[in-house]
Amino acid sequence: MNSFDKHQRFLHFLRQELDIPAESIALVQRHPELPYSSFPMLLWRYGLITLSQLERIFDWLDYGWVNSTKQL
């Protein structure tokens, strides 16, 4: 799986599983100079997600994207 596919699955997870609004995601995507790994922290830092959601994102990044390849 290439990085584009992983990124798309990650965005799908954020929108579908965590119900994060597209506007919130777009706000963070306006910072292309930042590493992709900063994405979850920026969502939290800007107050766009809760600490619980941040933990779920990290869990998904560690384990979930592998399982999501079987579902999509």
Side-chain angles (χ1 to χ4, degrees):
M1 176 181 307
N2 63 41
S3 62
F4 178 78
D5 290 337
K6 287 181 186 178
H7 182 72
Q8 291 303 311
R9 291 180 192 286
F10 177 60
L11 293 178
H12 178 80
F13 168 75
L14 294 176
R15 288 188 303 261
Q16 300 300 315
E17 298 295 322
L18 297 182
D19 200 28
I20 297 174
E23 297 82 16
S24 297
I25 294 169
L27 176 67
V28 175
Q29 288 179 318
R30 291 186 192 134
H31 297 283
E33 72 281 2
L34 297 172
Y36 179 71
S37 60
S38 298
F39 200 91
M41 289 303 296
L42 287 174
L43 286 168
W44 180 70
R45 185 172 153 198
Y46 290 151
L48 303 171
I49 61 172
T50 65
L51 187 56
S52 175
Q53 287 173 310
L54 180 62
E55 290 173 359
R56 285 189 62 198
I57 290 170
F58 286 140
D59 287 344
W60 187 89
L61 289 171
D62 285 343
Y63 309 106
W65 75 267
V66 174
N67 294 330
S68 72
T69 61
K70 298 172 187 168
Q71 297 172 357
L72 294 178

